[in-house]
Amino acid sequence: MIMTRTRWVLSIAAVVVLALMGLLWWITTEDDRQLDRHIRQALEGYEQAFARDGAGATPTPLRRDGYGPVLGAPSVEKVTVLRDGQTLTAEFIGGKTTGPCGSDYSVRAVESAHAALIVVNEHPHERGRACTAEGYRRQVTVRLSRPLGMRAVLEAMGGMPVPVDRIS
């Protein structure tokens, strides 16, 4: 059966809408893809340094390549490992807890054979608002899939090891 002009136009419109939706998805998830590449590079850099230098490995700091606090990833300054060996409390400087200039934070750990990389994501209460650059000491807690043991803890921004305190 020959397609009518209306069906032809509707088919083209549907294809265009699907293409636009795909493009919108691609654009809105670019930060996530960039962060995932950054995390892979940080873990690979540490694993290479570990293979070369052993447990005291110090990898070459990562270049940010555009990824940084603008995308909402504060740098972890110190980690405390709780008695179970799997629960980590990460300390960082972030926004205040309340008000329009405040932020909430989420955390995840990405693990490798010799390291656990801590990624802290900032969720501002109001995006685009002009706020002062005051910093507040903040903490987040994350649970590893297995005990930390002798693995290093890395911060996400530079892929560098951070000090670790262990509660015994």
Side-chain angles (χ1 to χ4, degrees):
M1 181 181 265
I2 298 177
M3 190 178 280
T4 66
R5 173 178 257 156
T6 303
R7 285 186 180 160
W8 180 252
V9 169
L10 287 175
S11 296
I12 291 173
V15 169
V16 168
V17 167
L18 287 173
L20 288 174
M21 287 175 55
L23 179 62
L24 181 62
W25 172 83
W26 181 258
I27 291 169
T28 59
T29 60
E30 174 57 24
D31 288 348
D32 293 335
R33 286 190 306 281
Q34 192 173 356
L35 177 58
D36 288 344
R37 282 191 303 273
H38 188 85
I39 289 168
R40 277 194 312 278
Q41 289 172 350
L43 286 173
E44 287 169 5
Y46 186 80
E47 291 297 330
Q48 289 170 359
F50 185 89
R52 183 184 63 241
D53 304 329
T58 302
T60 302
L62 290 178
R63 291 185 354 196
R64 289 194 178 179
D65 290 336
Y67 186 80
V70 171
L71 297 180
S75 184
V76 172
E77 296 178 349
K78 175 184 156 188
V79 169
T80 302
V81 181
L82 301 184
R83 286 185 180 90
D84 67 3
Q86 286 182 268
T87 306
L88 308 179
T89 300
E91 295 180 19
F92 61 95
I93 302 297
K96 57 185 177 177
T97 58
T98 60
C101 288
S103 293
D104 296 317
Y105 295 88
S106 59
V107 62
R108 68 181 165 128
V110 182
E111 301 176 60
S112 70
H114 300 104
L117 186 135
I118 307 299
V119 181
V120 178
N121 287 308
E122 182 176 19
H123 310 283
H125 294 172
E126 289 187 23
R127 291 198 179 275
R129 184 176 181 94
C131 298
T132 61
E134 297 176 65
Y136 297 85
R137 186 151 299 283
R138 301 290 300 265
Q139 292 183 338
V140 289
T141 301
V142 65
R143 185 160 173 82
L144 302 177
S145 64
R146 62 187 174 98
L148 181 63
M150 298 308 296
R151 294 184 292 166
V153 176
L154 309 176
E155 55 85 22
M157 295 307 356
M160 299 301 289
V162 297
V164 176
D165 288 340
R166 297 174 189 273
I167 297 177
S168 41

